[in-house]
Amino acid sequence: MTPRTCSPAPPLDPALDPDEELARFASALGHPARVRILRFLLEREECFAGAIVEHIPLAQSTVSQHLKVLREAGLVRGEVDGLHVCYCADRVRLRKIGDLVNALTPGPTEPAPAS
Amino acid sequence: MTPRTCSPAPPLDPALDPDEELARFASALGHPARVRILRFLLEREECFAGAIVEHIPLAQSTVSQHLKVLREAGLVRGEVDGLHVCYCADRVRLRKIGDLVNALTPGPTEPAPAS
DNA sequence: CAGCTGTATCGTTTATTGACGGTCAACGGA
DNA sequence: TCCGTTGACCGTCAATAAACGATACAGCTG
């Protein structure tokens, strides 16, 4: 069976200059609870919202808000599955953030932006 | 002459759990003006504060605030050089952020945390 | 259909952030 | 010594974010 992975590709705002884009992602990661949620989702490949709420010592509504922020940044996707909502971290998007950060400091591990 | 590189190694708060640490860094990167400042510093290897203020369409005091945030996150160092303050981006710290983000998504380019 | 359950959203409160002008300390030059 | 320049810091204001309880809503289940 498929391990309940979320839909493959949400759109991404194309009209952002790189600084704004990076700032947007970083901003979404800029709260410990959100990092924690993200890490939790990454550990478990997928899970429904209730599990997250149980894992995080915050009110359900607060967790939902954080999930919304993560969703809007595209770091997380959620899709309704009957009664539950199944959330997944978007690894591709996360990779992209790492790339954006690494691109700031061209160095030994990052050959060159090149053409 | 030395190219005005800043001092080598400021301390780093050791007692932070990884989530908080990442959130802290991300939070510092979470504003377009700060990303822009950082990029500007990275382009120029070093420069004094006035140049940054000229480059960013914000009041001097605002830029100074942003520099403070970047300084407190350890992304930037500034040292007084007579009348000026010489700012440098901390490439090592920036690398570390990239690593922290990439470590979230162990994948093809990131062999494994291993033992 | 009625009720329960899992989530999202609303409205409120408090805390934090962003931007600004003003000011102050440090320094260098006249 | 006096002045101009540089940049940090302070106080203020407005805007945004974080947290919560309450409520609304959608979809099962009886």
Side-chain angles (χ1 to χ4, degrees):
Chain A
M1 72 180 226
T2 49
R4 248 332 352 214
T5 307
C6 293
S7 58
L12 178 57
D13 200 337
L16 283 179
D17 81 287
D19 290 353
E20 286 225 35
E21 187 179 30
L22 178 51
R24 238 172 111 79
F25 283 139
S27 183
L29 280 181
H31 192 291
R34 288 197 287 268
V35 176
R36 195 162 170 191
I37 290 172
L38 207 48
R39 208 188 291 278
F40 186 64
L41 286 176
L42 286 162
E43 275 168 15
R44 311 173 45 113
E45 190 59 57
E46 56 76 31
C47 72
F48 66 97
I52 303 173
V53 173
E54 280 176 28
H55 181 69
I56 303 279
L58 290 172
Q60 178 267 325
S61 56
T62 306
V63 172
S64 187
Q65 293 264 81
H66 283 308
L67 283 169
K68 184 179 184 179
V69 172
L70 289 170
R71 240 187 297 127
E72 287 175 347
L75 301 185
V76 141
R77 265 165 298 138
E79 41 191 51
V80 178
D81 175 20
L83 203 49
H84 305 290
V85 176
C86 168
Y87 276 98
C88 303
D90 185 330
R91 292 160 194 273
V92 174
R93 211 55 73 88
L94 275 168
R95 283 280 175 200
K96 175 161 187 179
I97 300 178
D99 291 348
L100 283 173
V101 174
N102 285 333
L104 288 175
T105 60
T109 67
E110 192 83 22
S115 65
Chain B
M1 73 182 226
T2 49
R4 244 349 337 228
T5 307
C6 293
S7 58
L12 179 56
D13 202 335
L16 283 179
D17 82 287
D19 291 353
E20 286 224 33
E21 186 178 28
L22 179 50
R24 238 173 109 80
F25 282 139
S27 183
L29 279 181
H31 191 290
R34 287 196 287 268
V35 176
R36 197 162 167 190
I37 289 172
L38 207 49
R39 207 187 291 279
F40 186 63
L41 286 176
L42 286 162
E43 276 170 14
R44 307 170 50 113
E45 190 59 55
E46 57 75 29
C47 72
F48 65 98
I52 304 173
V53 173
E54 279 176 28
H55 182 70
I56 304 278
L58 291 172
Q60 179 267 325
S61 57
T62 306
V63 172
S64 187
Q65 293 267 81
H66 283 309
L67 283 169
K68 184 180 185 177
V69 173
L70 290 170
R71 240 187 297 129
E72 287 175 348
L75 301 186
V76 140
R77 267 166 295 138
E79 41 191 51
V80 178
D81 175 19
L83 205 48
H84 304 293
V85 176
C86 168
Y87 275 99
C88 304
D90 186 329
R91 291 158 196 273
V92 174
R93 211 57 74 89
L94 276 169
R95 283 281 173 200
K96 176 161 188 180
I97 301 178
D99 291 348
L100 282 173
V101 175
N102 286 333
L104 288 175
T105 60
T109 67
E110 192 83 19
S115 65

